[in-house]
Amino acid sequence: MTAVDVSAVAKSYGKVDVLSDISTHFPQGSFTSLLGPSGSGKTTLLRIIAGFVIPDRGTVTIGGRDVTSVPVWDRNIGMVFQSYALFPHMSVADNVAFGLARRGIKGEAARREVERALEMVRLPGFGTRKPKQLSGGQQQRVALARAIVTRPSVLLLDEPLSALDRRLRQEMQVELVRIQRESGLTTIFVTHDQEEALTLSDKVAILDRGRIVQIGEPTEVYERPANRFAAEFLGDTNFLQGTVEAEGTVSAHGQRIASAIALPPAGHSVTLAVRPEKIEIRDASGDGGHGTQPPANQLSAVILASIYSGTAITYEAEAAGGLRLKIFAQNRDARLRSPGEPVTLSWSADHTVPLAG
Ligand code: ADP
């Protein structure tokens, strides 16, 4: 049993509330990302779980055991930092064995555990090398081996891939997921990279100024952002400000917008989010080939601008009432629509997401 639970945790430095009332459950064997902009409190939360920082209030339990006042070395965690923090004068094997020696595991038993950890990170036989004889990606694998060699119950990762270049980072992402799946370690991963969080995680927790504003599976947090911050931080979004007319209908900029998601009562103002890639763009005259079931939202608009980026084209268009929308179109026919061109924009009511707050 190695679920991690954080309950009503708060931390301030002086007058600055870094974390306010954080409660969350990290299920056993799950991979959760803590995602948020710089300064949102991700690292502080990770360090509280690790035991490097003591919260002002609240508790941390690991596998049902209250560890709030248990020192780092007694929490049975493995941790990897952004910088590899390997000892340069020590061999790879000695670096990896470091945590074992502290636990009194030596000799043949230690050698076996080190080789097992190096195999896990796909560096078998690298034990005699020095860190400087390894590439950046290999050094980070050694840091990972060092974190898992003691067979911890929880793996804590603080932006471990951010020092690597893009290709290496993608390679390591795949490795990290494989190691996590094989080891079954409950893993908590700090990142400010949205794509990385969506790609790697079972769950993503979005932090804003010391609070978790949303936690859910990647598709859930992307498709159904809870509030404006979550919608904006995780990808691109069009925001439409309107007033609820009736169930399923919002009046915004003189347009009637349909939403299939529960809205506030009629008369209330509401912010709607529509992702740019959910909007289809077609010739103003075309019927779009939707058959008998046209999308709930269809607006006449005019192209204002287009940006060609190879795989996709980003359009900005303006509908009646001055409603401006950003649209991501797949580059299927390589025809770039020009400013002034009349178009029809359409999207499904499922993709009009009302936001809280
Ligand atoms: P993140 O990991 O999301 O970038 P951090 O948890 O590192 O955020 O920091 C959150 C806030 O707490 C920042 O404003 C930072 O300056 C502040 N902070 C973190 N650690 C300390 C500390 N030891 N003393 C004072 N302020 C700190």
Side-chain angles (χ1 to χ4, degrees), residues 103-124:
R103 286 159 189 252
I105 303 169
K106 292 182 194 132
E108 183 56 21
R111 207 194 53 77
R112 267 201 317 272
E113 289 300 304
V114 167
E115 203 44 40
R116 183 191 68 91
L118 287 175
E119 266 166 29
M120 193 95 170
V121 301
R122 301 221 162 125
L123 287 177

Side-chain angles (χ1 to χ4, degrees), residues 225-229 270-271 353-357:
N227 66 8
R228 198 178 174 109
F229 177 86
V270 66
T271 304
V353 181
L355 303 176

